[in-house]
Amino acid sequence: MTTMTASAPVNRNPVFDELGFPKDPDNLYTQTCEVMLGAAETMGLPHRLKIILAQPMSEIMVHFPVRMDNGHHQLFKGYRVQHNNALGPFKGGLRFHPDVHLDDVKSLALLMTFKCSLVRIPYGGGKGGVKCDPSKLSQDEVMRVSRRFCASIFRYIGPDYDIPAPDVNTNAQIMAWMADTYASMAENNKATWDSMRTFTGKPVEIGGSLGREKATGQGVVDTLVELLPALGFKSAQGLKFSVIGYGNVGSWSARIFAKHGAKLTAVMDHTGAIINENGIDTEALLTHVQKARGVAGFSGASPCSVEEFYKAKVDVLIPAALEQMIQEREANWIQAKIIAEGANAPTTPAGDRVLQKRGIEVIPAILANAGGVTVSYFEWVQNKTCTIWDIEEVDRKLNQHMVAAARRTLVARQRYNMDMRSAAYIASLDHIAKAYAVRGIFP
Ligand code: NAD
């Protein structure tokens, strides 16, 4: 099928000049906005909404000192970006990584707005992070960075205003420290338990939801399984797949997809790449990664180069590591027929154009990885209503949201004859536009 695409090479969008965007074509924020604005143009979104959505509502940058184990103090830089809250409180993860920059956090916050809207949960989009390398910090130092960062952004977040969650290099333990810090600082002590609701992805002992840890991977697979027939496959049974990143999203996606009968044959992470045409044992690989901190050295597969990894003949590739990993070069190497974006923004617009030209279908991040935020929403609802759902209820409700979002995307794709990424943005923008139509713009 010949499809139009919102991410086809176009002249610089006039909105970029109107808002003074940088001219650097590799800027992740400009790239993310370009796709959203392309979809907005196709559906005839009013200009006022384009400019509102092209910039975040608030960009918060903090610096905070932390006492290190050696007694010295180190100054850390942290961000919280609040993109849009037309549909509900800001929502999005916090990441700890040496490469955390304002533009990247802005991109991730924007993606959250569209993700929440696409799966129809009542949240807006936000994102944050601390520029640090947690692998070089002790557990105590990570705890002090987490608590001090939470204290630094305390006045900007809240249980019904902005609700952070885990992301790259942050986990349930870090959310527990932050929730505890927030609750300890909250003015009304009687609201202590309610203020813990400011963070999702908490351990189950303090209000975390069953099924949150696997939720993003579960959502990737729910979406894939729903879309496979529309993308030319009968079912997951017997499909070969590869994964980039074997952390939370990568390992859960792989293990759940394997349970549907698909065969993992290649994996790459920050330590190297491995391949085994006969199939990689997903559980054994996880045990290895937990001990060795990466896939390198796994005895159940052979090491391979990055190029060999991308060129592996698979049906599905699940990028589940960092942003911008599929650029033009990688897009030309890839042999998969479907890419399910477990990671946020793993494909650059230039990479996307190559994939489209080569007929490779992309299930975009705002659809494929929306399972995490959906179960975060379930956690928030359970905390708000003092209830605990069993895992079957969580899985069933998650599946309903993911399947509905996948169908919405297919409907938009058919209506506008577009690629899946643009279609997902259109299905999402449609909901946001309706909210603005009834709310209006103050004053
Ligand atoms: P994680 O920290 O658990 O795992 C990250 C993985 O990326 C690790 O396996 C690491 O080895 C790999 N990686 C890092 N640098 C790499 C490189 N240069 N080359 C190859 N691999 C590399 O993080 P996660 O929570 O699994 O998040 C992964 C992606 O999914 C991120 O884009 C994140 O924003 C997105 N995401 C996560 C969630 C969630 O619930 N955790 C939800 C939605 C989206």
Side-chain angles (χ1 to χ4, degrees), residues 95 97 108 112 115 127 166-170 212-213 215-216 244-250 268-272 289 293-294 319-323 325 342-345 369-370 372-373:
R95 96 174 24 178
H97 198 276
L108 296 165
M112 288 307 298
K115 203 180 291 186
K127 200 81 179 189
D167 191 64
V168 174
N169 292 330
T170 55
R212 172 61 185 90
E213 201 205 317
T216 307
I244 309 177
Y246 213 72
N248 175 296
V249 181
M268 179 176 84
D269 75 0
H270 70 289
T271 62
V289 168
R293 294 183 151 234
L322 300 179
E323 296 77 32
M325 295 197 69
N344 284 310
N369 75 28
V373 70

Side-chain angles (χ1 to χ4, degrees), residues 135-186:
S135 68
K136 300 208 170 103
L137 301 176
S138 70
Q139 179 83 339
D140 272 2
E141 287 169 338
V142 170
M143 181 190 70
R144 290 196 290 275
V145 168
S146 306
R147 287 188 180 279
R148 193 57 211 256
F149 177 52
C150 175
S152 303
I153 58 169
F154 173 78
R155 76 191 78 160
Y156 306 110
I157 58 177
D160 291 305
Y161 186 70
D162 184 352
I163 306 142
D167 191 64
V168 174
N169 292 330
T170 55
N171 54 26
Q173 175 61 75
I174 291 175
M175 294 306 112
W177 289 325
M178 292 196 183
D180 178 74
T181 305
Y182 188 90
S184 306
M185 292 175 73

Side-chain angles (χ1 to χ4, degrees), residues 239 241-243 246 254 262-267 276 278-280 282 285:
L239 296 189
F241 72 105
S242 59
V243 176
Y246 213 72
K263 188 157 78 173
L264 177 67
T265 55
V267 186
N276 183 349
N278 297 320
I280 294 171
T282 54
L285 180 59

Side-chain angles (χ1 to χ4, degrees), residues 28 32 92-95 104-105 107-113 115 126-127 166-168 216 220 244 249 319-326 340-348 363-371 373 421 425:
L28 183 63
T32 313
L94 296 174
R95 96 174 24 178
D104 304 357
V105 181
S107 303
L108 296 165
L110 181 144
L111 288 175
M112 288 307 298
T113 298
K115 203 180 291 186
K127 200 81 179 189
D167 191 64
V168 174
T216 307
V220 168
I244 309 177
V249 181
L322 300 179
E323 296 77 32
Q324 297 182 310
M325 295 197 69
I326 303 176
E341 292 185 338
N344 284 310
T347 314
T348 63
I363 305 176
I366 62 166
L367 171 60
N369 75 28
V373 70
R421 190 184 307 282
Y425 271 103

